[in-house]
Every structure is written in structure tokens, then in C-alpha cells.
Amino acid sequence: MATMATWTKIGRILSSVTHKKPDFLSGSCCNGVVSKNRADPFADIRSFSSSTSAASLDTEVLGSRWVGLKDYEEYRRALYGGITHKALFVDAVGTLVVPSQPMAQIYREIGEKYGVQYSEGEILNRYRRAYEQPWGKSRLRYVDDGRPFWQYIVSSSTGCSDSQYFEELYNYYTTEKAWHLCDPNAEEVFKALRKVGVKLAVVSNFDTRLRPLLRALNCDHWFDAVAVSAEVAAEKPNPTIFLKACELLGVEPEDAVHVGDDRRNDIWGARDAGCDAWLWGSDVYSFKE
């Protein structure tokens, strides 16, 4: 068995490792809870010998400041057994859902009847410039329904401040027409995760339209909790929003893994909170992974 000093040293080293998709997964979100190759999520999970693990980890610790990904898997299994994470957090836009049409196309098509004349390319460039600007004296863009922020974005992007145009555009993005799921197998995977006791939460920088949007897409019931920045008053990468998700699910940060598409907001933010984090589109490409 490893000494307490050894485990403390391992913990320090692990905290400095840049986590990538574990090479022991043919992709498996939540470290093997759901596998591509097994119908039963827990079938044939291999047993783990703590003495073998300790020897392997001691070798890595003494021989290098980096611990291999295989050792990281074994380390978590030694501590927690077969289920190495108790909760999965999922980013919303860009991970769980994506716009069904390009933003600039919708801004232009709806805006034509209100006198918008900018091309889609021009709208996109103006949108990007506006979105990157500091928002007042606050770091929070999405407060409550986010209307003041989005009014600024829409008028900056299109040159149109017509309130009727804004309301039509704003309401459009609460409907199922505006969005679709990134992963068509998401429902199957999330049901399997919940069946084996893994808790699920959406963790998103969004305004209060997120909940009705999830209902419109008929996926709100997949999750045990939703931590949305407009309600938490903290936006990723602020670790507060991840800690709030842990609180809502009743898990410790080290028991959760977050999957999102933004390295700064999702990966750095989650790790600052003490959670594991995998980058969507790089570490994992599907929820089955």
C-alpha cells in the first residue's frame, strides 16, 4: 500500500497534469461508465489491486513529474472503485445544442422586413466585435432574461434598433426551430448514465431562456439540475458556477467531470473548481465517448 505521503504527492502531481482524453477509453465519458463496446455499462469492469496500483504509481512519481493517463485511471479506481465519477456536467451551446442555422443568416432573414441591409458577413463581423466588448461595469452579460445585453448585440450587429425586430429575434431563439442536439444519441447515453446512478447537470453561460429551450427540445428531463449563469450570477470560467452545480447535485468537485467546447470557459473553469474536464470536439466527440 502507498504511504499517506505518497498519495499526497500523487495528488499534487495530478493537479498539475493537463488532462486529455484517457487513452484507456475507446472514449468513455465518465471514465468507463458508458462504453461503446458494452451493452451493460458495468459489464466486465476489471478488478483493481491497490498494491499493484501503488507500486505503479510510486514508480511514476519517483521517475517523472508526470503521471501517465493509465495511472490516473487506476488512481481514481483505487479511491472510488468502479465508478470513477459520480456526476457529469455538460455545457449547453456548442456541446449539448447548436444553432440550426448560422446566426448571421437568421439575423438577416428576420431583419429584412425591418430594414436590415447588412450582408451576413458584415453582420457576423459586427456581432463578433460587439460580443468581445466589455459589458458595462459588470462581467455578467446574462442577468435574468439577458434582454439589455442582447438588445445591444442585435443593434450593434445589424444597425437596427427596432424593438419589434428584437423581440421576434429574441423569441425565435427560445424555440426548437432555432436549435438542435449536437449528438443524436444523447438521450440514450444520458438515460444509461442515470440508470447506473450518475447524476447529470447542464452548466451554461446563458440567460433564463435556457430552461424553456431545454423543454422545447424535450431534453430537460434528462438532467437532475441546471446551473445557468443568469441565475447563479457567475459566468464560466468563474468556478462558482461549477461549485453551484456540485451543490445542486450533492457531489464533491472531484467526483464530477465537465464536458464543454470552450477551453477557457469549460476546461480551465471546471478545473479551477476542482472538477475533471474534457474538451468537446478534441478529447471527446460524442456523449457515448
Side-chain angles (χ1 to χ4, degrees):
M1 294 294 291
T3 65
M4 182 60 69
T6 300
W7 284 116
T8 301
K9 190 171 184 180
I10 291 168
R12 288 199 303 270
I13 293 173
L14 287 170
S15 69
S16 70
V17 173
T18 300
H19 304 283
K20 295 183 179 179
K21 178 182 175 181
D23 56 359
F24 56 86
L25 303 174
S26 51
S28 106
C29 212
C30 293
N31 286 7
V33 174
V34 174
S35 167
K36 294 179 181 177
N37 305 317
R38 302 190 191 110
D40 177 357
F42 286 108
D44 302 325
I45 291 179
R46 63 179 178 77
S47 61
F48 175 73
S49 163
S50 59
S51 59
T52 302
S53 148
S56 171
L57 287 168
D58 280 342
T59 299
E60 291 290 343
V61 168
L62 295 174
S64 169
R65 89 179 273 272
W66 300 105
V67 175
L69 293 171
K70 185 70 173 178
D71 294 309
Y72 179 67
E73 174 206 8
E74 294 179 343
Y75 164 74
R76 287 196 64 92
R77 288 190 186 280
L79 292 181
Y80 306 116
I83 303 177
T84 58
H85 291 101
K86 298 178 182 177
L88 170 65
F89 300 160
V90 179
D91 172 46
V93 178
T95 305
L96 179 64
V97 299
V98 288
S100 296
Q101 295 86 25
M103 172 277 303
Q105 176 186 331
I106 297 301
Y107 275 40
R108 183 188 59 78
E109 287 181 356
I110 294 178
E112 283 181 343
K113 58 185 176 183
Y114 297 97
V116 173
Q117 297 180 350
Y118 292 148
S119 67
E120 291 180 23
E122 194 170 1
I123 289 172
L124 180 59
N125 289 334
R126 292 171 67 95
Y127 177 97
R128 287 173 172 166
R129 287 198 297 270
Y131 200 86
E132 291 169 358
Q133 296 300 312
W135 174 236
K137 296 180 180 180
S138 172
R139 295 189 179 191
L140 295 176
R141 294 164 296 174
Y142 312 123
V143 177
D144 296 328
D145 61 12
R147 267 187 166 83
F149 172 73
W150 286 115
Q151 285 171 332
Y152 161 73
I153 293 295
V154 171
S155 62
S156 298
S157 302
T158 63
C160 180
S161 299
D162 188 300
S163 60
Q164 196 170 349
Y165 167 50
F166 169 75
E167 288 299 323
E168 183 174 346
L169 193 60
Y170 180 88
N171 291 326
Y172 170 80
Y173 279 103
T174 316
T175 69
E176 68 278 8
K177 290 192 304 181
W179 306 89
H180 65 271
L181 295 170
C182 280
D183 185 347
N185 296 316
E187 181 174 12
E188 170 194 350
V189 174
F190 290 151
K191 282 183 176 179
L193 287 169
R194 293 186 77 183
K195 187 175 181 180
V196 296
V198 176
K199 296 181 179 180
L200 303 174
V202 176
V203 180
S204 175
N205 287 351
F206 213 109
D207 53 61
T208 51
R209 288 176 295 173
L210 181 58
R211 293 179 187 275
L213 171 60
L214 295 177
R215 287 196 294 271
L217 293 172
N218 196 31
C219 64
D220 58 314
H221 61 285
W222 298 350
F223 303 97
D224 301 292
V226 174
V228 56
S229 61
E231 298 172 356
V232 176
E235 292 184 10
K236 298 181 292 184
N238 188 328
T240 299
I241 191 169
F242 296 98
L243 295 175
K244 181 61 176 181
C246 291
E247 178 187 330
L248 291 171
L249 294 185
V251 299
E252 296 299 321
E254 61 267 25
D255 291 327
V257 58
H258 175 71
V259 178
D261 68 318
D262 187 290
R263 189 174 299 279
R264 177 177 177 270
N265 286 345
D266 294 304
I267 306 306
W268 295 0
R271 289 176 182 167
D272 280 348
C275 304
D276 274 352
W278 296 339
L279 187 64
W280 180 266
S282 177
D283 298 331
V284 291
Y285 294 85
S286 71
F287 291 119
K288 204 163 189 177
E289 288 186 275

